[in-house]
Amino acid sequence: MTAAIQMPTHFAGATSRTVPSRTVTSRPVPSRTVTSRPVGVATTHLRLTRRGRAVITTLAAVPLVIGAFLFAMNGGGAVATGSSEHTQFSYVTVHSGQSLWSIAEKIAPSADPRDVIADIVSLNQLQSAVVTPGQRIAIPSQYGGGR
């Protein structure tokens, strides 16, 4: 498309002349979709990096781990019942030269002494099977007969 452009003639003594124009091609302008949003409300896009995701995951996981740990520590506890049964134990005082083996053979001659010793150690919360003279030991009711 060639068109002549006329120059302004506002200068004194100027003559008008025509200048050939260049061909101009226009590019298509992409159309934008205008969305309506309330005035004064800015839209922000949250970008979460790998480090940010790790922090958020850790913050969410910490209470869960603490809760699981507390449940594991307290969840397996025994529940006390309302009945108050009094268990009576018979007691034996250890004499010089006696051991748990000799006491186990004396109080339960028909039972295996190793089982009786294990029950005595467990009931009295002893660190080992060593006893000293004068020590008072509770005997389990299944062997002592509740005397």
Side-chain angles (χ1 to χ4, degrees):
M1 159 193 300
T2 349
I5 299 175
Q6 191 159 17
M7 297 299 285
T9 59
H10 63 279
F11 297 110
T15 60
S16 98
R17 63 183 177 150
T18 60
V19 178
S21 67
R22 287 190 246 166
T23 305
V24 179
T25 59
S26 63
R27 293 183 197 155
V29 178
S31 64
R32 289 187 157 185
T33 306
V34 178
T35 59
S36 63
R37 59 183 136 130
V39 177
V41 176
T43 60
T44 58
H45 296 282
L46 179 64
R47 288 183 141 180
L48 215 60
T49 61
R50 172 184 270 168
R51 181 176 170 190
R53 284 190 300 271
V55 167
I56 297 244
T57 303
T58 302
L59 288 175
V62 165
L64 294 174
V65 169
I66 290 173
F69 179 74
L70 291 176
F71 179 75
M73 295 304 290
N74 296 326
V79 177
T81 60
S83 64
S84 59
E85 295 181 24
H86 295 286
T87 305
Q88 296 292 327
F89 297 107
S90 55
Y91 291 90
V92 173
T93 304
V94 179
H95 298 291
S96 179
Q98 275 188 324
S99 65
L100 281 182
W101 189 273
S102 62
I103 294 172
E105 287 179 332
K106 181 179 176 184
I107 62 170
S110 62
D112 185 7
R114 293 173 292 194
D115 294 335
V116 178
I117 291 171
D119 291 340
I120 291 173
V121 168
S122 174
L123 176 66
N124 291 286
Q125 298 177 352
L126 300 174
Q127 298 296 323
S128 67
V130 177
V131 289
T132 57
Q135 187 175 358
R136 192 166 180 225
I137 297 176
I139 304 298
S141 59
Q142 65 209 37
Y143 305 118
R147 316 180 243 172

